[in-house]
Each structure stands twice: as structure tokens, then as C-alpha cells.
Amino acid sequence: MDSVAIIILAAGQGTRMKSNKAKVLHLLSGRPMILYVVDTAVTVCSDNVIVVVGTQADCVKAVIEKEHQVSYSFQSEQLGTGHAVMCALPEIGDSVTNAVILCGDVPLVRPETIVDLISRHENEKNHVTLLAARIPDPTGYGRLVLDQDGCVERIVEERDATSHEKGIDVINTGIYCVDRQFLSHALKHVGRDNAQNEIYLTDIVGIAVSEYKRVGFGLCADLLELTGINTADDLLKVEAALKADETS
Ligand code: UD1
Ligand code: MG
């Protein structure tokens, strides 16, 4: 996996958790959420993992450093997921062809799923490959807007979606494999004209489509694996599902 780097986004405060603790430090079954994601990243790509830290950066780094050796980028202001990735780009070596992006708040994604995503990306010769999922309740997630042929046109966030778009049940898991050169090019063109006034990473999809680049997606069948944790309630639900899995 020399040609792949993994970027983990972990700089956000996690306002929706309503807690003073940075979201990725919250415990899931007794272990800080961020460690699940770093474990997975290191399994796939042992020596090329970059964690973007910001909120309580020193604490997040200290938790990771006890178990893993990774690189860090610092995002001083949380201007959005696209901006967080921009902060990591200088850490990526020129020999890297593709960057995989993981979210620190999507803790249960498995290494096999990431390896499959990278294979799909390479086999389909895509510029962007998304990990998506079809879920019964897509509330809160970004939705994949597909054209008549089932190809991705763009991603729309819940807060920017029309009521029709909110009805789409194919969601963005926040996990991507992107051609490194395209990623750095596209991020220069992402604006902040959205409901949250943030630099959305998801906007690189629409940019890729407008430039006739290849965009693909794979569907993840395991709903627990792709669950994003934004609220204390999400955390409790995932913890309960994990426990149920262990006892079944
Ligand atoms: C994001 C995606 C959404 C997707 C969902 C999957 C965007 C704009 N939206 O939404 O399409 O369905 O994840 O779970 O990307 N972070 C930073 N710096 C920032 C902002 C965020 O490092 O400035 C980190 C957070 O710490 C978190 C991750 O990025 O680990 C995702 O951020 P979050 O605010 O949770 O995004 P969602 O609203 O869940
Ligand atoms: Mg989230």
C-alpha cells in the first residue's frame, strides 16, 4: 500500500455531543472512539496515516501515541471537512497516488471494507470513489444525488437538501478514496456557500462530475460499520448494538 495514504479527520469539537470533551475522545465500549479508526487505518496502511487534530489536539494525540505511530496535521480553526483535508495535504508524499479519507466519528469501519474500496477505485480507474450505503433512516447524513443512469452527480448535506433530496436513501458514509492530485486541485475550488458556511469535502464530488472525471461508489451492507456518531444518543445506540453483536 505504498501508493496510498490515509487521512483521518478528527479535529472537530462535536457540538452535537453537548459535551466539553472532543467528540473523538468519547468512549465506545470503554475505548476512545478515535482508536478504533486509527487501528483500522494502521492495519490497511501501516506507515502512512495522517490524523488531522484540532479540538483538544494534545489529548487526542496523547491517546493515539500510546498505541500507534502516525503523522499529525493541525487544523487551528474548524472550517469544515474539506478544510481539514487541506490541512493534511502537505503531509502526503509525492509518491502517493491515492488518499483514503476516514472520519474519526465513524469508528466501526473494517479494514477489509477499506481495502475493497481502494481495489474498486483502482480497478474502475476512478478519480473519486465513495463508500455509500442504502439505509432505512438516512436522516442526518449527506445524500448521494444520482442521475437517471445511477451515476453520482453530487452529494447534498441534510441541511442543504430539498425535501425531495431528503427522501434519497443512499447516504455518504464520509469515507472516500481520491486521486491525490485531483483532491488537491478540487479542494482549491470548494466554496463555503452552504447552510453551515463550511468548506465541505463532499463538494469535490460535484467538481469531479463537472470536470468529467470518473466518480464511483460502493455500497456497504453492514449498517453498524458505517454509523456516524454525532450525538450522545448515536453513541449509546452503537454501544448497545456492539454489545448485542458480542452476545449473539
Ligand atoms: C459528514 C459528511 C456527510 C456524511 C457524514 C458521515 C461533510 C460535509 N459531510 O457529515 O456527507 O454523511 O459525515 O458520517 O463532509 N472534522 C474536522 N474538521 C472540521 C470539521 C469536521 O476534522 O472542520 C471532522 C470531525 O471531527 C469528524 C469528521 O470530520 O470526525 C466529520 O465531521 P462531522 O461534523 O461529524 O460531519 P457530519 O455532519 O457527520
Ligand atoms: Mg459526523
Side-chain angles (χ1 to χ4, degrees), residues 16 23 103 105-106 140-141 228-230:
R16 288 166 282 178
K23 175 163 67 176
C103 287
D105 67 344
V106 183
Y141 290 98
I229 296 179
N230 291 319

Side-chain angles (χ1 to χ4, degrees), residues 95-107:
S95 61
V96 168
T97 317
N98 293 310
V100 168
I101 298 151
L102 304 181
C103 287
D105 67 344
V106 183

